Structures are given as C-alpha cells and as structure tokens.
PDB file of all heavy atoms in Angstrom:
ATOM      1  N   THR A  27     -11.530  -0.899  22.148  1.00 97.00           N
ATOM      2  CA  THR A  27     -11.386  -0.218  20.852  1.00 97.00           C
ATOM      3  C   THR A  27      -9.993  -0.439  20.280  1.00 97.00           C
ATOM      4  O   THR A  27      -9.828  -0.708  19.084  1.00 97.00           O
ATOM      5  CB  THR A  27     -11.644   1.292  21.013  1.00 97.00           C
ATOM      6  OG1 THR A  27     -12.976   1.487  21.490  1.00 97.00           O
ATOM      7  CG2 THR A  27     -11.464   2.016  19.693  1.00 97.00           C
ATOM      8  N   MET A  28      -8.963  -0.333  21.131  1.00 97.00           N
ATOM      9  CA  MET A  28      -7.593  -0.502  20.663  1.00 97.00           C
ATOM     10  C   MET A  28      -7.281  -1.943  20.290  1.00 97.00           C
ATOM     11  O   MET A  28      -6.504  -2.208  19.371  1.00 97.00           O
ATOM     12  CB  MET A  28      -6.613  -0.009  21.731  1.00 97.00           C
ATOM     13  CG  MET A  28      -6.610   1.492  21.959  1.00 97.00           C
ATOM     14  SD  MET A  28      -6.100   2.447  20.486  1.00 97.00           S
ATOM     15  CE  MET A  28      -7.689   2.772  19.700  1.00 97.00           C
ATOM     16  N   TRP A  29      -7.885  -2.904  20.986  1.00 96.00           N
ATOM     17  CA  TRP A  29      -7.663  -4.302  20.607  1.00 96.00           C
ATOM     18  C   TRP A  29      -8.244  -4.583  19.227  1.00 96.00           C
ATOM     19  O   TRP A  29      -7.614  -5.241  18.396  1.00 96.00           O
ATOM     20  CB  TRP A  29      -8.309  -5.239  21.640  1.00 96.00           C
ATOM     21  CG  TRP A  29      -7.739  -5.100  23.013  1.00 96.00           C
ATOM     22  CD1 TRP A  29      -6.482  -4.653  23.348  1.00 96.00           C
ATOM     23  CD2 TRP A  29      -8.399  -5.381  24.251  1.00 96.00           C
ATOM     24  NE1 TRP A  29      -6.327  -4.655  24.715  1.00 96.00           N
ATOM     25  CE2 TRP A  29      -7.485  -5.089  25.297  1.00 96.00           C
ATOM     26  CE3 TRP A  29      -9.661  -5.855  24.593  1.00 96.00           C
ATOM     27  CZ2 TRP A  29      -7.795  -5.266  26.647  1.00 96.00           C
ATOM     28  CZ3 TRP A  29      -9.971  -6.026  25.931  1.00 96.00           C
ATOM     29  CH2 TRP A  29      -9.053  -5.742  26.945  1.00 96.00           C
ATOM     30  N   ILE A  30      -9.435  -4.072  18.980  1.00 97.00           N
ATOM     31  CA  ILE A  30     -10.054  -4.263  17.663  1.00 97.00           C
ATOM     32  C   ILE A  30      -9.197  -3.603  16.584  1.00 97.00           C
ATOM     33  O   ILE A  30      -8.929  -4.194  15.532  1.00 97.00           O
ATOM     34  CB  ILE A  30     -11.480  -3.674  17.656  1.00 97.00           C
ATOM     35  CG1 ILE A  30     -12.381  -4.458  18.622  1.00 97.00           C
ATOM     36  CG2 ILE A  30     -12.065  -3.702  16.242  1.00 97.00           C
ATOM     37  CD1 ILE A  30     -13.737  -3.810  18.865  1.00 97.00           C
ATOM     38  N   THR A  31      -8.758  -2.381  16.855  1.00 97.00           N
ATOM     39  CA  THR A  31      -7.926  -1.662  15.889  1.00 97.00           C
ATOM     40  C   THR A  31      -6.653  -2.437  15.603  1.00 97.00           C
ATOM     41  O   THR A  31      -6.212  -2.541  14.449  1.00 97.00           O
ATOM     42  CB  THR A  31      -7.553  -0.262  16.420  1.00 97.00           C
ATOM     43  OG1 THR A  31      -8.697   0.332  17.012  1.00 97.00           O
ATOM     44  CG2 THR A  31      -7.039   0.632  15.302  1.00 97.00           C
ATOM     45  N   GLY A  32      -6.031  -2.968  16.663  1.00 97.00           N
ATOM     46  CA  GLY A  32      -4.761  -3.679  16.487  1.00 97.00           C
ATOM     47  C   GLY A  32      -4.898  -4.907  15.623  1.00 97.00           C
ATOM     48  O   GLY A  32      -4.063  -5.153  14.735  1.00 97.00           O
ATOM     49  N   ILE A  33      -5.955  -5.687  15.846  1.00 97.00           N
ATOM     50  CA  ILE A  33      -6.159  -6.886  15.029  1.00 97.00           C
ATOM     51  C   ILE A  33      -6.409  -6.485  13.575  1.00 97.00           C
ATOM     52  O   ILE A  33      -5.883  -7.110  12.635  1.00 97.00           O
ATOM     53  CB  ILE A  33      -7.339  -7.707  15.582  1.00 97.00           C
ATOM     54  CG1 ILE A  33      -6.971  -8.280  16.967  1.00 97.00           C
ATOM     55  CG2 ILE A  33      -7.723  -8.830  14.623  1.00 97.00           C
ATOM     56  CD1 ILE A  33      -8.132  -8.908  17.702  1.00 97.00           C
ATOM     57  N   MET A  34      -7.208  -5.438  13.369  1.00 97.00           N
ATOM     58  CA  MET A  34      -7.476  -4.951  12.015  1.00 97.00           C
ATOM     59  C   MET A  34      -6.184  -4.488  11.347  1.00 97.00           C
ATOM     60  O   MET A  34      -5.907  -4.831  10.188  1.00 97.00           O
ATOM     61  CB  MET A  34      -8.480  -3.806  12.062  1.00 97.00           C
ATOM     62  CG  MET A  34      -8.793  -3.192  10.704  1.00 97.00           C
ATOM     63  SD  MET A  34      -9.742  -1.655  10.828  1.00 97.00           S
ATOM     64  CE  MET A  34      -8.497  -0.541  11.501  1.00 97.00           C
ATOM     65  N   GLN A  35      -5.387  -3.699  12.065  1.00 97.00           N
ATOM     66  CA  GLN A  35      -4.135  -3.202  11.497  1.00 97.00           C
ATOM     67  C   GLN A  35      -3.224  -4.351  11.093  1.00 97.00           C
ATOM     68  O   GLN A  35      -2.651  -4.355   9.989  1.00 97.00           O
ATOM     69  CB  GLN A  35      -3.428  -2.299  12.520  1.00 97.00           C
ATOM     70  CG  GLN A  35      -4.098  -0.949  12.727  1.00 97.00           C
ATOM     71  CD  GLN A  35      -3.511  -0.207  13.916  1.00 97.00           C
ATOM     72  OE1 GLN A  35      -2.968  -0.806  14.843  1.00 97.00           O
ATOM     73  NE2 GLN A  35      -3.633   1.110  13.907  1.00 97.00           N
ATOM     74  N   GLY A  36      -3.056  -5.318  12.011  1.00 96.00           N
ATOM     75  CA  GLY A  36      -2.176  -6.446  11.704  1.00 96.00           C
ATOM     76  C   GLY A  36      -2.639  -7.212  10.479  1.00 96.00           C
ATOM     77  O   GLY A  36      -1.822  -7.596   9.630  1.00 96.00           O
ATOM     78  N   ALA A  37      -3.949  -7.422  10.359  1.00 96.00           N
ATOM     79  CA  ALA A  37      -4.489  -8.155   9.219  1.00 96.00           C
ATOM     80  C   ALA A  37      -4.293  -7.372   7.921  1.00 96.00           C
ATOM     81  O   ALA A  37      -3.928  -7.951   6.879  1.00 96.00           O
ATOM     82  CB  ALA A  37      -5.971  -8.450   9.444  1.00 96.00           C
ATOM     83  N   LEU A  38      -4.518  -6.063   7.948  1.00 96.00           N
ATOM     84  CA  LEU A  38      -4.362  -5.236   6.746  1.00 96.00           C
ATOM     85  C   LEU A  38      -2.895  -5.193   6.303  1.00 96.00           C
ATOM     86  O   LEU A  38      -2.597  -5.269   5.109  1.00 96.00           O
ATOM     87  CB  LEU A  38      -4.865  -3.815   7.002  1.00 96.00           C
ATOM     88  CG  LEU A  38      -6.376  -3.635   7.196  1.00 96.00           C
ATOM     89  CD1 LEU A  38      -6.695  -2.196   7.583  1.00 96.00           C
ATOM     90  CD2 LEU A  38      -7.137  -4.031   5.934  1.00 96.00           C
ATOM     91  N   TRP A  39      -1.994  -5.075   7.255  1.00 95.00           N
ATOM     92  CA  TRP A  39      -0.570  -4.988   6.916  1.00 95.00           C
ATOM     93  C   TRP A  39      -0.036  -6.293   6.322  1.00 95.00           C
ATOM     94  O   TRP A  39       0.885  -6.281   5.512  1.00 95.00           O
ATOM     95  CB  TRP A  39       0.255  -4.648   8.162  1.00 95.00           C
ATOM     96  CG  TRP A  39      -0.027  -3.299   8.747  1.00 95.00           C
ATOM     97  CD1 TRP A  39      -0.718  -2.272   8.165  1.00 95.00           C
ATOM     98  CD2 TRP A  39       0.355  -2.833  10.043  1.00 95.00           C
ATOM     99  NE1 TRP A  39      -0.797  -1.193   9.015  1.00 95.00           N
ATOM    100  CE2 TRP A  39      -0.144  -1.512  10.186  1.00 95.00           C
ATOM    101  CE3 TRP A  39       1.039  -3.398  11.108  1.00 95.00           C
ATOM    102  CZ2 TRP A  39       0.056  -0.752  11.338  1.00 95.00           C
ATOM    103  CZ3 TRP A  39       1.234  -2.646  12.253  1.00 95.00           C
ATOM    104  CH2 TRP A  39       0.746  -1.336  12.373  1.00 95.00           C
ATOM    105  N   LYS A  40      -0.636  -7.415   6.730  1.00 95.00           N
ATOM    106  CA  LYS A  40      -0.143  -8.718   6.268  1.00 95.00           C
ATOM    107  C   LYS A  40      -0.835  -9.193   4.985  1.00 95.00           C
ATOM    108  O   LYS A  40      -0.380 -10.151   4.352  1.00 95.00           O
ATOM    109  CB  LYS A  40      -0.344  -9.763   7.365  1.00 95.00           C
ATOM    110  CG  LYS A  40       0.550  -9.567   8.569  1.00 95.00           C
ATOM    111  CD  LYS A  40       0.168 -10.494   9.704  1.00 95.00           C
ATOM    112  CE  LYS A  40       0.451 -11.934   9.360  1.00 95.00           C
ATOM    113  NZ  LYS A  40       1.904 -12.197   9.194  1.00 95.00           N
ATOM    114  N   ALA A  41      -1.944  -8.539   4.621  1.00 96.00           N
ATOM    115  CA  ALA A  41      -2.700  -8.987   3.447  1.00 96.00           C
ATOM    116  C   ALA A  41      -1.893  -8.772   2.165  1.00 96.00           C
ATOM    117  O   ALA A  41      -1.306  -7.711   1.957  1.00 96.00           O
ATOM    118  CB  ALA A  41      -4.024  -8.239   3.359  1.00 96.00           C
ATOM    119  N   THR A  42      -1.847  -9.801   1.299  1.00 95.00           N
ATOM    120  CA  THR A  42      -1.093  -9.707   0.050  1.00 95.00           C
ATOM    121  C   THR A  42      -1.943 -10.173  -1.127  1.00 95.00           C
ATOM    122  O   THR A  42      -2.895 -10.944  -0.982  1.00 95.00           O
ATOM    123  CB  THR A  42       0.180 -10.567   0.108  1.00 95.00           C
ATOM    124  OG1 THR A  42      -0.183 -11.931   0.411  1.00 95.00           O
ATOM    125  CG2 THR A  42       1.140 -10.048   1.173  1.00 95.00           C
ATOM    126  N   ASN A  43      -1.580  -9.700  -2.295  1.00 95.00           N
ATOM    127  CA  ASN A  43      -2.204 -10.158  -3.537  1.00 95.00           C
ATOM    128  C   ASN A  43      -1.552 -11.464  -3.970  1.00 95.00           C
ATOM    129  O   ASN A  43      -0.587 -11.937  -3.361  1.00 95.00           O
ATOM    130  CB  ASN A  43      -2.026  -9.099  -4.631  1.00 95.00           C
ATOM    131  CG  ASN A  43      -2.751  -7.811  -4.278  1.00 95.00           C
ATOM    132  OD1 ASN A  43      -3.937  -7.816  -3.956  1.00 95.00           O
ATOM    133  ND2 ASN A  43      -2.032  -6.693  -4.347  1.00 95.00           N
ATOM    134  N   ALA A  44      -2.084 -12.046  -5.019  1.00 94.00           N
ATOM    135  CA  ALA A  44      -1.576 -13.332  -5.509  1.00 94.00           C
ATOM    136  C   ALA A  44      -0.102 -13.259  -5.896  1.00 94.00           C
ATOM    137  O   ALA A  44       0.636 -14.246  -5.771  1.00 94.00           O
ATOM    138  CB  ALA A  44      -2.422 -13.809  -6.688  1.00 94.00           C
ATOM    139  N   ASP A  45       0.342 -12.073  -6.355  1.00 94.00           N
ATOM    140  CA  ASP A  45       1.747 -11.936  -6.771  1.00 94.00           C
ATOM    141  C   ASP A  45       2.674 -11.587  -5.607  1.00 94.00           C
ATOM    142  O   ASP A  45       3.859 -11.343  -5.802  1.00 94.00           O
ATOM    143  CB  ASP A  45       1.872 -10.884  -7.873  1.00 94.00           C
ATOM    144  CG  ASP A  45       1.427  -9.494  -7.409  1.00 94.00           C
ATOM    145  OD1 ASP A  45       0.986  -9.370  -6.238  1.00 94.00           O
ATOM    146  OD2 ASP A  45       1.539  -8.535  -8.210  1.00 94.00           O
ATOM    147  N   GLY A  46       2.109 -11.541  -4.406  1.00 93.00           N
ATOM    148  CA  GLY A  46       2.934 -11.265  -3.231  1.00 93.00           C
ATOM    149  C   GLY A  46       3.024  -9.795  -2.851  1.00 93.00           C
ATOM    150  O   GLY A  46       3.606  -9.466  -1.811  1.00 93.00           O
ATOM    151  N   SER A  47       2.456  -8.921  -3.654  1.00 95.00           N
ATOM    152  CA  SER A  47       2.483  -7.495  -3.325  1.00 95.00           C
ATOM    153  C   SER A  47       1.455  -7.185  -2.239  1.00 95.00           C
ATOM    154  O   SER A  47       0.485  -7.929  -2.048  1.00 95.00           O
ATOM    155  CB  SER A  47       2.195  -6.655  -4.572  1.00 95.00           C
ATOM    156  OG  SER A  47       0.905  -6.958  -5.090  1.00 95.00           O
ATOM    157  N   LEU A  48       1.675  -6.074  -1.525  1.00 95.00           N
ATOM    158  CA  LEU A  48       0.755  -5.692  -0.460  1.00 95.00           C
ATOM    159  C   LEU A  48      -0.611  -5.334  -1.040  1.00 95.00           C
ATOM    160  O   LEU A  48      -0.713  -4.628  -2.048  1.00 95.00           O
ATOM    161  CB  LEU A  48       1.308  -4.505   0.325  1.00 95.00           C
ATOM    162  CG  LEU A  48       2.560  -4.785   1.173  1.00 95.00           C
ATOM    163  CD1 LEU A  48       3.050  -3.495   1.830  1.00 95.00           C
ATOM    164  CD2 LEU A  48       2.266  -5.834   2.239  1.00 95.00           C
ATOM    165  N   LYS A  49      -1.667  -5.810  -0.387  1.00 96.00           N
ATOM    166  CA  LYS A  49      -3.019  -5.594  -0.893  1.00 96.00           C
ATOM    167  C   LYS A  49      -3.507  -4.177  -0.608  1.00 96.00           C
ATOM    168  O   LYS A  49      -4.281  -3.608  -1.380  1.00 96.00           O
ATOM    169  CB  LYS A  49      -3.965  -6.607  -0.253  1.00 96.00           C
ATOM    170  CG  LYS A  49      -5.362  -6.608  -0.848  1.00 96.00           C
ATOM    171  CD  LYS A  49      -6.174  -7.779  -0.325  1.00 96.00           C
ATOM    172  CE  LYS A  49      -7.549  -7.822  -0.987  1.00 96.00           C
ATOM    173  NZ  LYS A  49      -8.345  -8.994  -0.516  1.00 96.00           N
ATOM    174  N   TYR A  50      -3.067  -3.594   0.514  1.00 96.00           N
ATOM    175  CA  TYR A  50      -3.536  -2.270   0.918  1.00 96.00           C
ATOM    176  C   TYR A  50      -2.369  -1.300   0.993  1.00 96.00           C
ATOM    177  O   TYR A  50      -1.290  -1.635   1.480  1.00 96.00           O
ATOM    178  CB  TYR A  50      -4.231  -2.338   2.284  1.00 96.00           C
ATOM    179  CG  TYR A  50      -5.443  -3.235   2.292  1.00 96.00           C
ATOM    180  CD1 TYR A  50      -5.346  -4.543   2.776  1.00 96.00           C
ATOM    181  CD2 TYR A  50      -6.675  -2.793   1.813  1.00 96.00           C
ATOM    182  CE1 TYR A  50      -6.447  -5.378   2.788  1.00 96.00           C
ATOM    183  CE2 TYR A  50      -7.780  -3.628   1.826  1.00 96.00           C
ATOM    184  CZ  TYR A  50      -7.662  -4.922   2.303  1.00 96.00           C
ATOM    185  OH  TYR A  50      -8.749  -5.750   2.297  1.00 96.00           O
ATOM    186  N   THR A  51      -2.591  -0.090   0.544  1.00 94.00           N
ATOM    187  CA  THR A  51      -1.571   0.951   0.683  1.00 94.00           C
ATOM    188  C   THR A  51      -1.553   1.444   2.131  1.00 94.00           C
ATOM    189  O   THR A  51      -2.468   1.177   2.915  1.00 94.00           O
ATOM    190  CB  THR A  51      -1.861   2.145  -0.241  1.00 94.00           C
ATOM    191  OG1 THR A  51      -3.083   2.783   0.192  1.00 94.00           O
ATOM    192  CG2 THR A  51      -1.996   1.699  -1.681  1.00 94.00           C
ATOM    193  N   PHE A  52      -0.516   2.193   2.452  1.00 92.00           N
ATOM    194  CA  PHE A  52      -0.419   2.760   3.803  1.00 92.00           C
ATOM    195  C   PHE A  52      -1.634   3.632   4.108  1.00 92.00           C
ATOM    196  O   PHE A  52      -2.221   3.547   5.187  1.00 92.00           O
ATOM    197  CB  PHE A  52       0.863   3.581   3.930  1.00 92.00           C
ATOM    198  CG  PHE A  52       0.968   4.333   5.231  1.00 92.00           C
ATOM    199  CD1 PHE A  52       1.343   3.692   6.400  1.00 92.00           C
ATOM    200  CD2 PHE A  52       0.667   5.690   5.295  1.00 92.00           C
ATOM    201  CE1 PHE A  52       1.427   4.377   7.599  1.00 92.00           C
ATOM    202  CE2 PHE A  52       0.738   6.389   6.496  1.00 92.00           C
ATOM    203  CZ  PHE A  52       1.119   5.725   7.650  1.00 92.00           C
ATOM    204  N   MET A  53      -2.037   4.473   3.158  1.00 94.00           N
ATOM    205  CA  MET A  53      -3.147   5.385   3.390  1.00 94.00           C
ATOM    206  C   MET A  53      -4.479   4.646   3.527  1.00 94.00           C
ATOM    207  O   MET A  53      -5.350   5.046   4.307  1.00 94.00           O
ATOM    208  CB  MET A  53      -3.240   6.424   2.265  1.00 94.00           C
ATOM    209  CG  MET A  53      -2.096   7.424   2.247  1.00 94.00           C
ATOM    210  SD  MET A  53      -1.905   8.295   3.829  1.00 94.00           S
ATOM    211  CE  MET A  53      -3.468   9.143   3.939  1.00 94.00           C
ATOM    212  N   GLU A  54      -4.652   3.559   2.787  1.00 94.00           N
ATOM    213  CA  GLU A  54      -5.884   2.771   2.908  1.00 94.00           C
ATOM    214  C   GLU A  54      -5.999   2.163   4.303  1.00 94.00           C
ATOM    215  O   GLU A  54      -7.079   2.140   4.904  1.00 94.00           O
ATOM    216  CB  GLU A  54      -5.912   1.666   1.847  1.00 94.00           C
ATOM    217  CG  GLU A  54      -6.202   2.174   0.448  1.00 94.00           C
ATOM    218  CD  GLU A  54      -6.086   1.084  -0.603  1.00 94.00           C
ATOM    219  OE1 GLU A  54      -5.229   0.186  -0.435  1.00 94.00           O
ATOM    220  OE2 GLU A  54      -6.845   1.117  -1.581  1.00 94.00           O
ATOM    221  N   GLY A  55      -4.871   1.682   4.821  1.00 93.00           N
ATOM    222  CA  GLY A  55      -4.877   1.137   6.177  1.00 93.00           C
ATOM    223  C   GLY A  55      -5.094   2.213   7.218  1.00 93.00           C
ATOM    224  O   GLY A  55      -5.849   2.026   8.178  1.00 93.00           O
TER     225      GLY A  55
END
C-alpha cells in the first residue's frame, strides 16, 4: 500500500502544466 502511495505522491508532486506551474494543489494530492 505504501509503495503504491509513494509512486502516486511522487508523480502528483512532479506533474506540471504547460506553463511550468504545478498541476495539483497540496490538498488535491
């Protein structure tokens, strides 16, 4: 469960929009 969560967290934190801004807010993650 924690491995799945970790990969998801890392992907969400690194996701960016075309302008370079973060795609997800802290609360969404």
Side-chain angles (χ1 to χ4, degrees):
T27 299
M28 291 297 92
W29 298 335
I30 295 170
T31 317
I33 293 170
M34 178 191 71
Q35 288 170 335
L38 291 174
W39 295 346
K40 291 171 68 65
T42 56
N43 296 308
D45 62 358
S47 61
L48 292 176
K49 188 171 183 178
Y50 299 99
T51 66
F52 173 78
M53 291 305 298
E54 286 174 326

